[in-house]
């Protein structure tokens, strides 16, 4: 192969015979990426080059021969290599390609490789239409930069392109079968389109269905996470406690309480006698954990808010953090401090126990991941866990409250 | 009476539950390295009248005072003793009481408030502090204070006849209160705020003074409101 010698100035008509190194076919492809590859190599517009090759193909098959030659001279794209940097096509080279194409066409005409003006003129019009429709949408860069100036809107492009294409096709049809056959041609095209529609319709349906399915799966996943968080807080905790309890009476009471709670949760009603304010809820939570884990919980609440959705999410995370501290820290008491006002809820759960390395928590430990971080993250807040082995743990939970519009209040 | 920290601290226990008094006495008088200086329980009382009588008779350094007592509550004891102008200091001790009772005892003159869940070492430490003239705030009392002094209402402060500074906590005092409420010890707070323990104690004493002297009407109003909870 003569790939490494004769790097002299190539004529636009036959550059691919003398250029080195070998051209890589492009991933920007319609057939084999040959034209795309050379377009990148020469920094010309791929669409323009395709139109030129197409036109030449009609002119006695020159384009086909060129494509075959290009194919032989280029390497298949190496997928591992990635896409080489693309030089922006320049207007000058684009004009050169156009002129070269024109020259080749004229030469073909002289040599008798010419199907006749009746075919070539409509074919040229169709080629232009293709360029107009498929030109890249970035203005002033493509071969049709001039066209872009007056037709940047996609609608304009499609309209102009469609008119040109229809005119070209109609002219071709007129030449080959007479205008009388246009009606037949149109119906034939319609039938072909209908056929394509029949082929594509199921695929389109499948696409829409898959989008729907995806959304449904996401909703289901969120529900599952909420369910998992709840079960972890309630049932799993109780099961752990039951395993650790020596006293059969205590086991029974734990099981019974859990059963009652789970039942009321499953059948939609809130647990009976659930407190209506955050302060009361935090205090009853503290005393419940105190009884369950036999660890002293010092709960202090400053301010108060009604137990709405935000406060519930906050309370859930707080409960989880407190239970974690009571269960794992080994400290004899846990301090819980909550500040609640109109704008945000802030909670601190602190123990002076064994502590842990926050980065070393295994991912299957559901507690921190879902019940605290997930819950608060989902509600738009944040959680900061400060811990060092041997130096206790403090979990900070911050949750902004949604703004409530009050009529007549300033600002 | 001198407040020499090395001398034995003379203590009177006031609580209507015999078991609590026995428990506290056992915990505080058990010989241990952490229990220095030693505490001597010089008297016990189970009601307001009894308490006033015992305190007058024994003139202790510190009285450990239950907030709830038959015959008027802990604050009646402090008010009953007031005329005697003793140097006795009071530390309120209770389970978890309504805010108005706790604030009432502190405003009557107690130097602090701790809950009965406090460990023996911490209780000992609190008694020593109160004996030395410092203030002792449990997380709960810090929470009460933050709640009572919540929000800045300058108009109210200006309208007050008294010292307007008494109606407001400084940023630093608020910070210290929040850390106490979060369960930090004075030493830990000092480390966290890059100040000395002495500075933290000064802040806490300043807050106690405000709590006792402020004419901020919210404190009363707030405490009354809290009675319902």
């Amino acid at each position: 192969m003569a790939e490494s010698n004769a790097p002299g100035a190539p004529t636009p008509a036959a550059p691919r015979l003398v250029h080195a190194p070998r051209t890589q076919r492009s991933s920007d492809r319609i057939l084999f990426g040959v034209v795309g590859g050379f377009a990148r190599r020469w920094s010309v517009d791929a669409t323009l080059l395709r139109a030129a090759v197409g036109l030449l193909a009609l002119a006695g098959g020159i384009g086909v021969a060129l494509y075959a030659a290009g194919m032989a001279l280029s390497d298949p794209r190496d997928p591992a290599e990635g896409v080489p940097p693309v030089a922006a096509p320049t207007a000058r080279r684009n004009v050169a390609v156009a002129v070269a194409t024109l020259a080749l066409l004229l030469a073909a005409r002289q040599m008798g490789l010419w199907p006749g003006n009746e075919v070539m003129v409509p074919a040229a019009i169709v080629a232009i239409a293709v360029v107009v429709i498929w030109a890249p949408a970035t203005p002033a860069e493509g071969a049709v930069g001039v066209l872009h100036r007056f037709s940047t809107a996609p609608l304009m492009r499609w309209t102009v392109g469609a008119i040109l294409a229809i005119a070209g096709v109609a002219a071709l049809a007129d030449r080959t079968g007479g205008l009388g056959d246009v009606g037949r041609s149109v119906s034939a095209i319609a039938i072909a389109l209908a056929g394509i529609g029949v082929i594509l319709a199921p695929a389109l349906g499948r696409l829409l269905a898959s989008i729907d399915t995806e959304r449904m799966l996401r909703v289901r996943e969120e529900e599952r996470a909420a369910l998992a968080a709840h079960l972890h807080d309630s049932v799993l905790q109780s099961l752990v406690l039951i395993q650790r309890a020596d006293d059969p009476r205590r086991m029974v009471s734990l099981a019974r309480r859990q059963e009652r709670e789970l039942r009321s949760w499953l059948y939609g009603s809130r647990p009976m006698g659930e407190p209506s304010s955050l302060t009361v809820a935090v205090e009853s939570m503290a005393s419940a954990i105190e009884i369950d884990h036999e660890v002293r919980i010092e709960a202090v609440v400053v301010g108060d808010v009604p137990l709405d959705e935000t406060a519930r999410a906050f309370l859930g995370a707080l409960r989880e953090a407190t239970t974690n501290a009571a269960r794992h820290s080994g400290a004899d008491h846990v301090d819980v401090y909550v500040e609640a006002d109109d704008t945000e809820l802030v909670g601190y759960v602190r123990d002076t126990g064994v502590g842990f390395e926050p980065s070393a928590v295994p991912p299957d430990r559901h507690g921190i991941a879902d019940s605290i971080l997930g819950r608060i993250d989902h509600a738009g807040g944040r959680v900061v866990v400060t811990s060092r082995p041997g130096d206790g743990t403090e979990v900070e939970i911050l949750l902004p409250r949604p703004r409530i519009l009050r009529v007549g209040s300033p600002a | 009476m001198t407040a020499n920290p090395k001398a034995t601290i003379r203590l009177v226990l006031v609580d209507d539950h015999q078991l609590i008094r026995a428990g506290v006495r056992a915990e505080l008088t058990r010989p241990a390295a952490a229990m220095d200086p030693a505490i001597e329980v010089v008297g016990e009382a189970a009601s307001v009248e009894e308490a006033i009588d015992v305190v007058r008779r024994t003139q202790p350094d510190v009285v450990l005072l239950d907030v709830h007592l038959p015959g008027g509550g802990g604050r009646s004891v402090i008010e009953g003793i007031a005329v005697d102008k003793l140097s006795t200091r009071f530390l309120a001790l209770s389970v978890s009481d309504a805010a108005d009772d706790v604030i009432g005892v502190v405003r009557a003159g107690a130097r602090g408030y701790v809950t009965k869940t406090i460990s023996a070492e911490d209780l000992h430490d609190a008694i020593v502090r109160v004996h030395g003239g410092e203030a002792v705030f449990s997380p709960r009392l810090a929470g009460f204070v933050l709640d009572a002094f919540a929000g800045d209402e300058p108009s109210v402060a200006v309208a007050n006849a008294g010292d307007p500074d008494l109606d407001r906590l400084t940023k630093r005092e608020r910070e210290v209160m929040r850390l106490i409420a979060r369960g930090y010890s004075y030493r830990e707070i000092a480390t966290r705020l890059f100040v000395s323990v002495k500075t933290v104690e000064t802040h806490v004493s300043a807050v106690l003074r405000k709590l006792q002297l402020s004419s901020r009407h919210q404190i009363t109003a707030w405490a009354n409101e809290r009675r319902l909870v």
Side-chain angles (χ1 to χ4, degrees):
Chain A
M1 271 297 176
E3 60 237 278
S4 62
N5 49 20
T11 58
R16 60 200 82 175
L17 295 175
V18 285
H19 245 286
R22 290 167 67 88
T23 301
Q24 293 249 312
R25 276 171 227 161
S26 173
S27 56
D28 166 25
R29 68 200 186 97
I30 286 176
L31 279 179
F32 298 101
V34 172
V35 177
F38 280 98
R40 196 173 61 222
R41 171 89 177 258
W42 299 330
S43 305
V44 296
D45 189 274
T47 315
L48 180 74
L49 200 59
R50 279 193 193 108
V53 171
L55 265 182
L56 289 172
L58 286 172
I62 298 174
V64 177
L66 286 178
Y67 196 92
M71 186 100 170
L73 285 173
S74 61
D75 292 331
R77 190 168 61 88
D78 181 4
E81 215 172 77
V83 184
V86 180
T90 63
R92 228 173 49 155
R93 289 188 203 193
N94 286 343
V95 170
V97 170
V99 169
T101 309
L102 200 62
L104 269 180
L105 284 173
L106 288 175
R109 196 172 175 193
Q110 288 295 326
M111 286 157 65
L113 294 169
W114 193 248
N117 287 342
E118 316 85 66
V119 173
M120 287 313 287
V121 171
I125 291 173
V126 171
I128 292 171
V130 167
V131 171
V132 168
I133 290 175
W134 294 112
T138 43
E141 256 192 21
V144 283
V146 184
L147 281 176
H148 270 299
R149 302 244 161 81
F150 72 91
S151 65
T152 36
L155 183 68
M156 186 78 171
R157 272 211 340 249
W158 279 94
T159 315
V160 171
I163 288 169
L164 283 174
I166 288 167
V169 169
L172 265 179
D174 185 32
R175 187 260 167 202
T176 46
L179 261 180
D181 285 341
V182 165
R184 261 179 33 210
S185 305
V186 167
S187 52
I189 290 170
I191 288 167
L193 283 180
I196 291 171
V198 167
I199 293 164
L200 288 185
L204 204 67
R206 267 204 302 278
L207 186 72
L208 291 176
S210 81
I211 291 171
D212 244 23
T213 314
E214 200 175 309
R215 188 172 343 154
M216 214 162 66
L217 282 177
R218 208 174 51 236
V219 169
R220 233 180 251 168
E221 178 59 31
E222 273 169 17
E223 272 172 6
R224 196 204 62 81
L227 181 68
H230 178 86
L231 289 181
H232 178 270
D233 283 4
S234 54
V235 180
L236 283 183
Q237 305 282 5
S238 289
L239 288 177
V240 168
L241 287 170
I242 288 168
Q243 284 171 41
R244 286 191 186 166
D246 303 326
D247 180 6
R249 268 197 331 224
R250 189 164 146 76
M251 283 189 211
V252 170
S253 85
L254 281 168
R256 187 161 296 156
R257 197 189 66 186
Q258 189 51 66
E259 185 202 334
R260 209 165 40 229
E261 196 196 303
L262 190 60
R263 214 175 268 285
S264 69
W265 186 74
L266 278 179
Y267 300 117
S269 64
R270 293 279 172 201
M272 292 278 285
E274 182 169 306
S276 60
S277 95
L278 184 63
T279 304
V280 181
V282 168
E283 271 157 16
S284 72
M285 169 208 90
S287 57
I289 295 176
E290 214 163 40
I291 293 165
D292 282 350
H293 297 277
E294 286 162 11
V295 170
R296 200 150 51 72
I297 313 275
E298 184 79 63
V300 175
V301 184
V302 169
D304 202 4
V305 294
L307 203 60
D308 54 8
E309 276 310 306
T310 312
R312 258 181 241 284
F314 178 81
L315 189 69
L318 196 73
R319 177 183 293 119
E320 183 57 33
T322 312
T323 310
N324 268 353
R327 238 168 69 186
H328 302 299
S329 76
D332 64 341
H333 84 283
V334 177
D335 282 291
V336 176
Y337 174 58
V338 171
E339 261 184 26
D341 60 32
D342 289 343
T343 57
E344 62 179 11
L345 308 172
V346 188
Y348 298 92
V349 177
R350 180 171 186 262
D351 66 70
T352 49
V354 292
F356 64 96
E357 189 61 53
S359 58
V361 175
D364 62 328
R365 283 276 301 280
H366 220 283
I368 286 190
D370 251 29
S371 288
I372 306 182
L373 297 180
R375 215 188 283 242
I376 292 300
D377 212 40
H378 196 253
R382 65 181 169 82
V383 177
V384 180
V385 180
T386 316
S387 186
R388 276 217 314 267
D391 204 25
T393 304
E394 185 167 47
V395 179
E396 179 183 352
I397 301 165
L398 193 144
L399 190 57
R401 299 189 71 213
R403 274 194 178 284
I404 302 157
L405 224 61
R406 279 189 217 83
V407 180
S409 78
Chain B
M1 195 166 285
T2 55
N4 180 357
K6 281 293 152 197
T8 302
I9 297 172
R10 302 172 67 250
L11 182 79
V12 164
L13 289 173
V14 181
D15 197 303
D16 53 338
H17 293 104
Q18 159 66 29
L19 270 176
I20 301 273
R21 293 201 306 272
V24 171
R25 179 197 275 266
E27 290 272 349
L28 287 178
T29 52
R30 147 177 76 104
M35 298 300 177
D36 185 56
I39 288 172
E40 183 196 350
V41 179
V42 295
E44 286 182 25
S47 70
V48 172
E49 287 155 39
E50 215 182 316
I52 293 175
D53 186 48
V54 169
V55 171
R56 280 205 179 122
R57 203 154 32 78
T58 57
Q59 306 214 343
D61 299 324
V62 178
V63 176
L64 202 54
L65 188 63
D66 193 4
V67 171
H68 282 293
L69 277 179
R75 85 194 273 178
S76 308
V77 177
I78 301 176
E79 282 159 0
I81 299 289
V83 290
D84 296 64
K85 304 252 185 270
L86 298 175
S87 63
T88 300
R89 299 205 159 104
F90 294 88
L91 176 61
L93 174 79
S94 78
V95 192
S96 63
D97 286 291
D100 58 341
D101 292 329
V102 176
I103 298 285
V105 174
V106 172
R107 274 172 83 88
R111 300 289 301 168
Y113 167 76
V114 292
T115 43
K116 279 177 181 167
T117 49
I118 193 171
S119 72
E121 286 78 15
D122 288 346
L123 179 58
H124 179 274
D125 189 51
I127 291 169
V128 173
R129 275 179 196 284
V130 166
H131 176 51
E134 289 162 23
V136 171
F137 277 29
S138 63
R140 185 166 290 271
L141 181 55
F144 286 161
V145 168
L146 284 169
D147 221 342
F149 283 90
D152 269 333
E153 291 178 54
S155 58
V156 175
V158 170
N160 264 338
D163 183 355
D165 280 346
L166 287 173
D167 294 335
R168 214 177 296 156
L169 299 183
T170 66
K171 194 161 165 284
R172 203 56 159 181
E173 286 162 359
R174 206 173 282 275
E175 220 169 349
V176 169
M177 284 297 124
R178 290 185 85 203
L179 286 170
I180 291 177
R182 280 161 64 179
Y184 285 78
S185 69
Y186 288 9
R187 185 170 302 283
E188 286 166 326
I189 294 170
T191 312
R192 226 182 137 92
L193 298 182
F194 304 107
V195 296
S196 67
V197 177
K198 198 81 214 148
T199 309
V200 175
E201 287 167 357
T202 309
H203 285 309
V204 177
S205 294
V207 173
L208 180 76
R209 186 170 154 268
K210 288 180 184 183
L211 187 58
Q212 290 176 339
L213 300 180
S214 173
S215 53
R216 187 181 168 113
H217 71 87
Q218 282 100 325
I219 292 177
T220 330
W222 166 83
N224 285 339
E225 199 179 290
R226 274 288 166 122
R227 189 196 286 273
L228 301 172
V229 172

